[in-house]
């Protein structure tokens, strides 16, 4: 397999089960989001992928974040696009290995994993049914060129952000729903009075959303 991962097999076995693919944030690892795998719906395969760029000491990234002389932050778009395609390929590998329903693949991303989730879904909408994007934002430069020609109207997205997020400003996230709705995508957007993290209410809300959008 092209990416290291952790897996929780479904407790309710179907002929083919849906998949929740978890994508962690910058400087984290596959164990982070997997910590709440036991609380996710029992009919899903829950698979948490480790990002490819090793930052040492158990930390990984989907792409580098660099700073210029004026301390402006910018993303390595080439690495981000490579990771985007790597995730799409990894989904194909998972479909070949496990009895997963290819029409029911959902991404759950946090921070950098959330930004990549948007990019993968817009670039390869036939692979992705739903996205839960927490504490991230939409960066259209990470999607494949000409993604607008894709039929992306079938995507369903739950986006959330902390109102006092000190890492990714909430203003960036607030622009995302309108951008997505312009493409005809069904979006639910919620904010929580927290920083850069996932509150219990946020978890409860996206789990409820998953149950309502099977």
């Amino acid at each position: 397999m092209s990416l290291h991962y952790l897996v929780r097999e479904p407790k309710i076995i179907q002929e083919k089960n849906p998949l929740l693919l978890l994508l962690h944030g910058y400087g984290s690892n596959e164990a982070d989001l997997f910590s709440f795998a036991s609380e996710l719906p029992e009919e899903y395969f829950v698979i948490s992928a480790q990002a490819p760029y090793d930052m040492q000491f158990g930390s990984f990234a989907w792409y580098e974040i660099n700073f210029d002389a004026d301390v402006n932050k910018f993303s390595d778009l080439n690495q981000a696009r490579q990771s985007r395609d790597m995730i799409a390929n990894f989904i194909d590998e998972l479909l070949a290995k496990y009895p997963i329903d290819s029409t029911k693949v959902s991404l759950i991303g946090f921070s950098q994993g959330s930004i990549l989730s948007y990019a993968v879904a817009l670039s390869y909408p036939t692979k992705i049914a739903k996205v839960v994007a927490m504490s991230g934002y939409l960066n259209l430069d990470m999607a494949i060129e000409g993604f607008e020609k894709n039929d992306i109207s079938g995507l369903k997205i739950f986006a959330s952000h902390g109102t006092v997020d000190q890492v990714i400003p909430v203003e960036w996230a607030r622009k995302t729903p309108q951008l997505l709705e312009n493409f005809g995508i069904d979006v639910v957007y919620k904010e929580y009075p927290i920083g850069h993290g996932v509150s219990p209410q946020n978890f409860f809300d996206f789990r409820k959303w998953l149950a309502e959008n099977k």
Side-chain angles (χ1 to χ4, degrees):
M1 303 290 279
S2 56
L3 293 174
H4 179 70
Y5 66 96
L6 298 171
V7 58
R8 187 213 75 182
E9 304 234 356
K11 294 172 184 167
I12 299 171
I13 304 299
Q14 302 168 351
E15 186 178 349
K16 292 210 165 186
N17 286 74
L19 166 67
L20 295 175
L21 179 57
L22 314 182
L23 303 176
H24 66 75
Y26 180 84
S28 187
N29 60 50
E30 76 284 9
D32 184 13
L33 297 181
F34 197 71
S35 62
F36 58 65
S38 62
E39 304 299 319
L40 291 168
E42 295 186 337
E43 70 271 23
Y44 285 92
F45 277 94
V46 179
I47 292 176
S48 187
Q50 177 184 284
Y53 295 102
D54 190 348
M55 299 170 64
Q56 305 300 315
F57 310 110
S59 298
F60 297 85
W62 296 102
Y63 53 88
E64 291 296 329
I65 297 172
N66 301 304
F67 296 85
D68 64 16
D70 297 319
V71 201
N72 293 310
K73 233 177 0 179
F74 62 96
S75 304
D76 187 319
L77 287 175
N78 285 333
Q79 287 185 352
R81 291 167 185 147
Q82 287 168 3
S83 285
R84 174 201 71 203
D85 294 343
M86 203 177 290
I87 293 164
N89 179 62
F90 181 60
I91 291 168
D92 291 339
E93 293 175 347
L94 293 174
L95 293 175
K97 182 169 183 176
Y98 297 101
I100 291 167
D101 185 340
S102 63
T103 67
K104 294 183 178 178
V105 174
S106 302
L107 301 177
I108 298 182
F110 175 76
S111 192
Q112 197 180 68
S114 168
I115 298 166
L116 255 296
S117 293
Y118 285 131
V120 173
L122 292 178
S123 301
Y124 304 104
T126 59
K127 295 181 188 287
I128 309 298
K130 299 190 291 286
V131 173
V132 174
M134 299 180 287
S135 303
Y137 63 96
L138 181 62
N139 184 338
L140 294 177
D141 290 334
M142 292 184 187
I144 61 169
E145 196 172 336
F147 76 88
E148 306 91 337
K149 299 188 186 80
N150 292 335
D151 181 7
I152 52 181
S153 60
L155 284 170
K156 291 182 181 294
I157 293 179
F158 177 98
S160 62
H161 215 85
T163 54
V164 287
D165 191 322
Q166 70 282 21
V167 177
I168 296 176
V170 68
E171 289 77 21
W172 294 12
R174 286 174 178 162
K175 295 173 184 172
T176 296
Q178 188 59 60
L179 286 168
L180 292 170
E181 285 167 3
N182 290 343
F183 296 119
I185 295 172
D186 180 353
V187 188
V188 171
Y189 176 74
K190 291 182 178 285
E191 292 180 358
Y192 303 91
I194 58 167
H196 196 64
V198 181
S199 69
Q201 187 62 47
N202 190 174
F203 179 79
F204 175 81
D205 286 347
F206 89 66
R207 191 174 61 180
K208 182 168 177 278
W209 178 84
L210 284 173
E212 292 169 349
N213 291 275
K214 289 193 173 179

